[in-house]
Amino acid sequence: MSARQYKAIGSKAHRKDGLAKVTGTEQYAPDVSVPRAWFGRVLRSPHAHARIVSVDTSGAEAMGAVCLTFADVPKIKYNERIVSTPPHLYRDRYVLADKARHVGEAIAAVAAPTEALAEKALRAIKVEYEVLPAIMSADDALKAGAPSVHETVRLQDKEIPIERNVAVSRLVEVGDVEKGFSESDAIIEREFSTSPMYHAQMETKSVVCKPAADGSITVWASTQSIHNTRQLLAEIYGLPLHKVNVKRVALGGSFGSSIQMNSVTPICVGLAIKSRRPVKIVTTREEDMYDHCRYQTHIRLKLGYRKDGSLVAGHMTATVEIGAHNIQAYPFLGVIAGFWVSLYKLPSMKYEGRAIYTNRTPSCAMQGFGAPQATFVTEVMMDEIAELLERDPVDYKLEQYRGLGDTFWGHGPTVKSVILSDGVPELLKIGAEKIGWAGRPRPGSQHGRLRRGIGMARGFHCSGVGHPKATGAEMIDYSGAIVKVNEDGSIDYIQSLMDHGGGTNEAIARIVAEEIGVPLSKVGISTVDTGTTVYDVTTHATRGVFAGGAAAHKAARTVKAKILEYAGRVLDVMKESLVIEPSEELGQGVIYCPSYPERRMTLGELAKYLQINSWGTIAAVESLRQVTAPPAYVTYFVEVEVDTQTGHVRTLGAALGSDCGTVINPGLAAGQLVGGLSKGAGFALVEDHQWNPKTGELTSKGFWVDCKTPSILESPVLERLHTDFAHTYEPTGPFGAKGVGEAALNPAIAAYANAIHNALGIRFREVPITPEKILSALAAANEAPKVAEAELVAK
């Protein structure tokens, strides 16, 4: 079916949640109000590393507050993120800390009838600390004799020791790397660093917990997975799952910061259980900044290649600083390897990765989950090789990339798929034309204050983490959905999948409408919770439409089959002869037989007929695991202007291309690309998370200067901002669709780095590329004779 034949897919329509959002009536976790609720506050460590000698809550309790300390919580170690399977799930935290491991770590909590009293009671708690030496960098953590952030962590049913603060390591090898290097005509080796930037999502972490007389609890929380939150709360507090109900509320952005059950959630539950009344906690922006950040990486890559440019061998070492807790370091190390080797054909490779504990803010997933870092390193290196070979980077990369028919790893060595759809050639051609690639300057050829440059990069993100192996997965990946026909012919789409704000549920509603054959207006996105839905792992890994949408598509197909079977009996025709088409005039799906057009009825008439005659309700519940994770390719062409007096970089134009298969909602998909450019520009140019090396306190606390995020004023003018979609069809996706979300960011920092090189003739391999770094590099270039940045190691 071509896109022109679709009715709901690809059409223009108002978002179903649009009116609530623009009028401010949409309910987020901070908006939830429960009668008799008390307010909770969390006491956090002022020290980066300290033993907790004593906690005195008597002053707070004298005010009537209920207090929670380490003595009150279950002594169960857990990991906030339970997407990883048990053999790869490292547990190293309690509800409240047994030892302070970073500034901002939760030590105690209070609940009181008013926010003012809760804050007053919090300040009355007295904590005695024994301050310990703090580790603020991976280099310090690895030194002999360095203090341990964690002595042991729990893996499955055992406590395992942590040596020299290495939380976990991974080694991946394919082929004979040393032989490959010996057969190479040239070798290039470079080092790269990326920053631990803050997610800067609009909503800070919030939670409300309402206990009931029967021991059950109802929870409203900022989360990307209501079912995983439910399971963790049940495990920690020893409750059966049927006594934990987590409600889905709108999520005010996440970028991965709520892929886990946020640390404040079980604290709130503990306060509610102890006080026997509802409790609400809304964290401040500063608390949120101490709660999570992107993984900081230090990567060295060595590539061997032949005179024709074909890669022969590669060796990558990656050191990842994970902060005070291991949320998902094992899979993160795997995805760096996977994204690296899946970008270009590489016969032999060796990858060594290690994740290091420090006394800093814990790192967790952030848009791209290792892909932006791996893409930055690889795309800048490939751009440099093309320059050394005097090749056009676009032509060179087209020759070497993994494309249609190739096997790629995606999220790591256990997630392998064959590429069945590939829009890279089309997108590179379109992007090059729109940005004016053919007219770009030679690197380093410009003089004067303002210098322009054009850079390109390409990359991808997997659509989920599905793979064909039956067992041995590192990550869980399946979705469930319920589709039900109401008595008026409208459809209830019921799924626990979380929408981060980008319109995932809206897109899936279109898939349901398209499959059944009803107007989009007839499909409702139901208000749901864990008690009314089946399991969905989480909205991450760009899997929303591809995996979650596929589960809903499966349920819709089952429902459609039942509709046709019942309608065949009522209309006295064979079910195989019937079709369903949406009628905007009737506002219904119409069922009819083309050979006997008079034999027709609306879906509402059929549903009512079934009710009156007690034939039953048409509904289906389905679960689905995708067995592939197709690459959602994205291409970037960016034009920048560099002010050599201030070091400021201005984005003049951008041509962004997405291969997401069938485009379910073009407007929102384009919005994903533009949003990816904004976040990518921040990652490339300004955003950083910095701590005082002595105290462990954040020095980057404000959005305007210290923790700057790009605004709409820093985007290209509309006339110079292009978004395009490849004409591809992914055979394993719902109606040919695959992902777009995280992929929209992944090539951004490499494109900016290559554009700045094109403008100045200087390579930057550490991001953010701040004005200070640019001015320093320019000064160094003027002080010394110009030498080639990339030396060939000739054979």
Side-chain angles (χ1 to χ4, degrees):
M1 181 184 287
S2 70
R4 290 187 296 275
Q5 294 174 285
Y6 292 139
K7 301 296 196 308
I9 289 174
S11 64
K12 290 185 177 181
H14 292 299
R15 280 183 63 157
K16 294 181 180 295
D17 60 356
L19 188 60
K21 287 190 171 180
V22 299
T23 58
T25 57
E26 181 71 280
Q27 188 177 66
Y28 300 83
D31 300 319
V32 174
S33 180
V34 178
R36 298 177 57 251
W38 278 19
F39 296 89
R41 293 287 288 124
V42 180
L43 181 70
R44 301 182 180 276
S45 171
H47 305 294
H49 199 193
R51 288 192 182 92
I52 302 165
V53 178
S54 64
V55 180
D56 181 1
T57 60
S58 59
E61 290 167 344
M63 299 177 188
V66 171
C67 299
L68 198 72
T69 68
F70 182 72
D72 300 308
V73 300
K75 304 307 180 285
I76 295 175
K77 280 186 178 179
Y78 69 95
N79 187 310
E80 292 182 326
R81 175 189 181 272
I82 56 171
V83 176
S84 296
T85 53
H88 312 294
L89 189 66
Y90 295 80
R91 297 175 167 91
D92 66 10
R93 72 159 74 222
Y94 298 101
V95 173
L96 291 169
D98 60 330
K99 179 178 80 167
R101 292 180 171 89
H102 68 97
V103 173
E105 179 125 47
I107 306 300
V110 300
T114 68
E115 288 183 88
L117 184 57
E119 182 64 28
K120 187 176 180 180
L122 188 79
R123 298 185 184 196
I125 296 176
K126 298 185 183 336
V127 182
E128 182 183 351
Y129 296 98
E130 178 191 343
V131 179
L132 302 172
I135 299 170
M136 299 308 296
S137 71
D139 288 341
D140 289 341
L142 293 168
K143 289 178 180 176
S148 297
V149 180
H150 292 270
E151 286 74 23
T152 65
V153 301
R154 193 159 190 81
L155 183 62
Q156 294 185 290
D157 59 348
K158 295 180 181 178
E159 288 286 330
I160 61 171
I162 297 298
E163 298 179 1
R164 299 187 68 177
N165 292 303
V166 178
V168 65
S169 59
R170 295 194 73 162
L171 172 66
V172 183
E173 293 183 274
V174 174
D176 189 332
V177 174
E178 293 308 316
K179 181 182 178 184
F181 283 129
S182 69
E183 294 175 350
S184 301
D185 295 320
I187 296 172
I188 184 172
E189 187 168 6
R190 296 288 180 263
E191 290 188 27
F192 296 80
S193 294
T194 66
S195 61
M197 60 190 282
Y198 170 57
H199 293 67
Q201 78 289 350
M202 293 182 70
E203 178 188 345
T204 63
K205 307 298 182 294
S206 304
V207 59
V208 177
C209 178
K210 178 183 177 183
D214 65 353
S216 64
I217 56 173
T218 302
V219 176
W220 298 259
S222 305
T223 180
Q224 290 173 222
S225 174
I226 59 175
H227 279 279
N228 285 352
T229 297
R230 178 199 209 191
Q231 290 183 16
L232 272 171
L233 291 174
E235 176 187 341
I236 292 168
Y237 287 102
L239 297 170
L241 284 172
H242 77 272
K243 287 201 170 184
V244 181
N245 191 18
V246 181
K247 301 275 190 180
R248 185 176 75 184
V249 289
L251 188 60
S254 178
F255 305 115
S257 67
S258 289
I259 192 174
Q260 63 273 359
M261 177 188 72
N262 294 303
S263 57
V264 72
T265 301
I267 295 172
C268 184
V269 170
L271 284 170
I273 291 174
K274 186 174 182 180
S275 65
R276 299 183 182 180
R277 64 178 68 243
V279 175
K280 178 178 184 177
I281 298 178
V282 179
T283 60
T284 66
R285 181 61 65 180
E286 184 172 347
E287 286 179 297
D288 199 66
M289 285 181 167
Y290 276 113
D291 188 68
H292 52 84
C293 66
R294 185 191 286 276
Y295 289 100
Q296 183 173 12
T297 64
H298 310 277
I299 298 174
R300 177 186 286 271
L301 178 58
K302 179 180 179 181
L303 291 176
Y305 58 96
R306 295 193 174 94
K307 292 177 182 178
D308 65 359
S310 58
L311 300 179
V312 183
H315 182 194
M316 176 183 282
T317 59
T319 299
V320 180
E321 300 191 33
I322 67 170
H325 293 286
N326 180 353
I327 297 176
Q328 50 210 358
Y330 186 83
F332 185 81
L333 292 178
V335 300
I336 291 178
F339 283 113
W340 165 43
V341 301
S342 297
L343 282 165
Y344 295 96
K345 298 169 185 176
L346 190 64
S348 59
M349 60 80 71
K350 182 177 182 180
Y351 169 80
E352 299 171 276
R354 57 184 178 174
I356 311 300
Y357 279 121
T358 63
N359 292 118
R360 302 193 327 196
T361 298
S363 299
C364 70
M366 186 173 181
Q367 190 175 11
F369 193 53
Q373 294 92 329
T375 306
F376 168 46
V377 172
T378 308
E379 285 295 287
V380 169
M381 289 275 279
M382 294 296 285
D383 196 84
E384 192 166 352
I385 293 172
E387 185 178 2
L388 291 167
L389 295 171
E390 298 182 346
R391 297 285 310 278
D392 182 289
V394 173
D395 295 338
Y396 175 58
K397 292 177 180 181
L398 272 172
E399 289 178 3
Q400 305 301 325
Y401 86 104
R402 289 186 185 267
L404 196 65
D406 292 325
T407 299
F408 81 114
W409 288 11
H411 271 76
T414 63
V415 184
K416 294 183 179 180
S417 300
V418 174
I419 299 169
L420 302 176
S421 57
D422 173 14
V424 171
E426 178 187 359
L427 293 174
L428 286 178
K429 180 181 179 181
I430 293 172
E433 289 176 355
K434 290 191 174 180
I435 204 69
W437 178 256
R440 76 193 187 286
R442 250 186 336 103
S445 63
Q446 299 177 73
H447 304 283
R449 176 176 175 176
L450 300 179
R451 304 177 193 177
R452 294 192 175 197
I454 297 175
M456 65 81 54
R458 51 161 298 277
F460 71 95
H461 203 90
C462 299
S463 305
V465 295
H467 60 87
K469 287 183 67 177
T471 59
E474 293 179 9
M475 288 185 276
I476 301 166
D477 191 80
Y478 76 94
S479 289
I482 301 169
V483 174
K484 176 170 67 75
V485 180
N486 297 314
E487 288 70 30
D488 64 349
S490 63
I491 306 294
D492 285 331
Y493 152 53
I494 306 162
Q495 191 171 33
S496 63
L497 189 84
M498 287 298 302
D499 189 326
H500 301 180
T504 305
N505 293 128
E506 173 81 17
I508 297 176
R510 289 170 179 259
I511 290 169
V512 171
E514 193 70 53
E515 177 59 38
I516 294 176
V518 298
L520 179 59
S521 60
K522 277 292 185 179
V523 179
I525 302 173
S526 295
T527 302
V528 299
D529 52 44
T530 52
T532 59
T533 58
V534 291
Y535 181 82
D536 183 278
V537 60
T538 187
T539 309
H540 77 136
T542 311
R543 68 182 298 279
V545 167
F546 179 74
H553 191 202
K554 182 180 179 182
R557 284 198 304 268
T558 302
V559 163
K560 184 176 183 179
K562 292 181 178 181
I563 291 170
L564 296 176
E565 182 176 352
Y566 280 122
R569 292 164 59 184
V570 174
L571 296 173
D572 192 27
V573 294
M574 296 293 290
K575 63 182 179 181
E576 293 81 5
S577 68
L578 293 172
V579 297
I580 312 173
E581 289 187 356
S583 169
E584 293 297 337
E585 181 182 354
L586 298 175
Q588 283 273 353
V590 178
I591 313 158
Y592 69 97
C593 175
S595 301
Y596 297 92
E598 71 280 3
R599 305 228 174 159
R600 65 174 55 219
M601 64 191 314
T602 66
L603 182 55
E605 290 170 338
L606 174 64
K608 198 65 180 177
Y609 182 93
L610 301 185
Q611 182 193 33
I612 292 170
N613 290 282
S614 301
W615 284 17
T617 299
I618 301 175
V621 54
E622 298 283 4
S623 290
L624 177 70
R625 170 199 167 186
Q626 290 281 35
V627 296
T628 185
Y633 290 113
V634 168
T635 58
Y636 260 71
F637 290 85
V638 175
E639 183 177 6
V640 301
E641 179 184 78
V642 184
D643 188 327
T644 59
Q645 288 190 14
T646 66
H648 179 69
V649 177
R650 187 161 68 100
T651 307
L652 300 177
L656 314 174
S658 168
D659 169 19
C660 58
T662 300
V663 186
I664 303 296
N665 190 326
L668 293 181
Q672 289 287 311
L673 288 174
V674 175
L677 174 66
S678 176
K679 293 296 287 185
F683 197 177
L685 303 176
V686 293
E687 293 190 55
D688 203 353
H689 218 38
Q690 299 177 356
W691 297 263
N692 184 307
K694 294 182 179 179
T695 66
E697 291 183 279
L698 277 172
T699 59
S700 53
K701 294 182 180 179
F703 280 148
W704 302 112
V705 179
D706 298 328
C707 194
K708 178 76 174 70
T709 55
S711 70
I712 192 67
L713 296 177
E714 292 161 291
S715 298
V717 295
L718 193 60
E719 292 77 13
R720 300 291 316 279
L721 180 56
H722 309 282
T723 56
D724 291 284
F725 297 93
H727 296 83
T728 57
Y729 185 95
E730 172 53 48
T732 63
F735 289 104
K738 47 185 178 178
V740 60
E742 290 173 271
L745 165 71
N746 291 346
I749 54 176
Y752 272 99
N754 289 336
I756 293 170
H757 167 70
N758 184 240
L760 302 178
I762 300 172
R763 290 276 179 198
F764 290 88
R765 301 184 185 89
E766 179 184 345
V767 292
I769 307 171
T770 60
E772 293 83 357
K773 292 175 185 175
I774 289 174
L775 293 177
S776 177
L778 285 169
N782 289 332
E783 290 170 1
K786 192 165 185 180
V787 295
E789 279 229 69
E791 302 85 2
L792 291 176
V793 180
K795 305 309 296 180

